[in-house]
């Protein structure tokens, strides 16, 4: 057996012991993961500095805080998430116990990405642990220092048989994908996502694909352009543009294009100084292969701002491009780097058409004071998420499902959505061996009279929540009537005594 087969077999054998079923075990594992993050902050920060040039503060803000928040939320809410979920009944099942019981899927394969190697690999793991699964963790080989540290540290804190780490490159990932899992959670690009889905289909394994795409950003000419460009600059150039939900390109009217360039320039200098190369919080492209790919995307476009680069350091300055058309090279693929093309459109009508002519993006961004315009963009486009008047921050809201649609992915996670995504929602109905007279309507012969009764019992649903509210209102009305009657009676007695 290959190394990958042995690892998966050990994880499945461990899962079949049933020790992930008790919530106490899951909480203990989540607390251990939290201890890892707390104890080994320096090791994590060092690995990210070597991989992506991330500063210590950048690591804290964009990797650790979210991960810690997800773990703490799962620990706090696990009993609620894992509890049976009552559902509405019909008259036929009015005396029965009817509910949904979340249960573990089994062994989950988590394939991480390199741009935020700790957050995008371990946040899905939080959901897998909370849901009671075993998980095989495959960190990206591109962020090699983070992968090595993860391989060293996770077995020291977690159940190493239940949550093994497999490192390696394409061949190791391919070996894993040949094996049967109960769910595959992949974060990366759509090209590899298709291969993951194809491999999973051989075993009828469900997948979550967290992909990317070209997320558009429309700036309404009547909005506060200075604030809009400030927020776009932050969202675009954080992590050197290597963020799946970064604004990929700007759409705006020609009348505000020069103002947009001015405000973007002002914001870049405010955030990263006039020399981003020496600024601690401005990172680097992950490797020279991606450096060359990003640099090649500028061909055929005009640099409006930035454009400086240093291949030896994998450095590309925050760069804004003009004279960009839909046929430009930079518009043919997700940029995933610090290039921001600006494309002019006649207004929101053309912007919506431009967006809809392309694959569904992970996010649509719109900046406007006009709530009707924002609601129109929501109604007339489709994307994994829509964010108005800011960038990236929807990822911080654990109650919102994070994921794509169409070419930008399938499935979602964060908070309870991670738990649900990696659970089987089992339908449960427990009936008593009584009231056989009512049940006889189901049995042959099926007469017209039986069908009439069946329509009533099967098609009429009972909303017990509504019934409880009506009962409570009736009780309050009765209590109010009693109080009023008692008050009137007391007043009448006082009046009679005085008389």
């Amino acid at each position: 057996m290959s190394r990958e087969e042995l690892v998966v077999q050990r994880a499945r054998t461990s899962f079949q012991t049933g020790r992930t079923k008790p919530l106490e075990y899951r909480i203990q594992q989540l607390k251990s993961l939290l201890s890892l993050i707390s104890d080994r902050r320096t090791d994590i920060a060092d690995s990210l500095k070597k991989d992506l040039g991330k500063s210590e503060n950048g690591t804290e803000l964009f990797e650790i805080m979210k991960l810690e928040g997800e773990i703490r939320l799962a620990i706090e809410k696990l009993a609620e998430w894992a509890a049976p979920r009552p559902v509405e009944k019909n008259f036929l099942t009015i005396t029965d116990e009817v509910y949904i019981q979340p249960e573990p899927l089994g062994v989950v394969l988590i394939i991480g990405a390199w741009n935020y190697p700790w957050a995008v690999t371990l946040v899905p793991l939080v959901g897998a642990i909370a849901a009671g699964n075993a998980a095989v963790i495959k960190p990206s080989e591109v962020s090699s220092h983070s992968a090595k540290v993860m391989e060293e540290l996770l077995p020291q804190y977690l159940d190493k048989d239940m949550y093994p780490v497999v490192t390696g490159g394409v061949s190791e990932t391919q070996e894993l994908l040949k094996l049967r899992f109960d769910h595959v959670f992949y974060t990366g690009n759509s090209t590899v996502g298709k291969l993951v889905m194809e491999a999973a289909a051989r075993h009828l394994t469900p997948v979550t694909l967290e992909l990317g795409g070209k997320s558009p950003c429309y700036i309404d000419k009547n909005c506060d352009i200075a604030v809009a460009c400030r927020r776009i600059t932050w969202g675009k150039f954080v992590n050197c543009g290597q963020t799946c939900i970064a604004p990929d390109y700007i759409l705006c009217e020609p009348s505000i294009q020069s103002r947009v360039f001015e405000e973007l320039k002002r914001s870049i200098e405010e955030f990263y100084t006039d020399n981003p190369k020496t600024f601690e919080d401005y990172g680097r492209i992950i490797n020279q292969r991606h450096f060359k790919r990003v640099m090649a995307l500028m061909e055929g476009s005009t640099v409006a701002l930035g454009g400086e680069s240093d291949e030896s350091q994998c450095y590309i300055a925050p760069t804004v491009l003009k004279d960009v058309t839909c046929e430009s090279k930079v518009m043919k693929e997700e940029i995933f780097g610090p290039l921001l093309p600006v494309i002019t459109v006649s207004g929101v009508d053309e912007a919506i058409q431009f967006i809809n002519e392309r694959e569904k993006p992970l996010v649509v961004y719109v900046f406007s004071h006009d709530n009707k315009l924002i609601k129109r963009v929501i109604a007339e486009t489709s994307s994994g998420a829509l964010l108005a008047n800011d960038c990236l921050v929807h990822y911080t809201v654990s109650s919102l499902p994070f994921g794509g649609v169409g070419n930008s992915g399938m499935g979602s996670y964060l908070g309870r959505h991670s738990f649900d995504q990696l659970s089987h929602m089992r339908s449960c109905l427990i009936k008593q061996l009584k009231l056989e007279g009512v049940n006889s309507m189901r049995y042959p012969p099926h007469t017209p009279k039986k069908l009439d009764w069946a329509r009533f019992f099967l098609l009429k649903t009972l909303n017990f929540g509504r019934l409880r509210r009506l009962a409570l209102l009736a009780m309050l009305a009765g209590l109010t009537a009693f109080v009023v009657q008692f008050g009137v009676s007391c007043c009448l007695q006082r009046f009679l005594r005085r008389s």
Side-chain angles (χ1 to χ4, degrees), residues 72 75 155 419:
R72 294 182 192 280
I75 292 170
F419 178 91

Side-chain angles (χ1 to χ4, degrees), residues 26 78 81-82 85 102 127 130-131 415-423:
R26 307 182 201 181
L78 183 56
W81 296 347
R85 304 178 187 183
R416 181 170 178 162
H417 305 289
S418 299
F419 178 91
D420 288 354
Q421 185 73 23
L422 297 174
S423 296

Side-chain angles (χ1 to χ4, degrees), residues 53 176-177 423:
L176 284 170
L177 288 171
S423 296

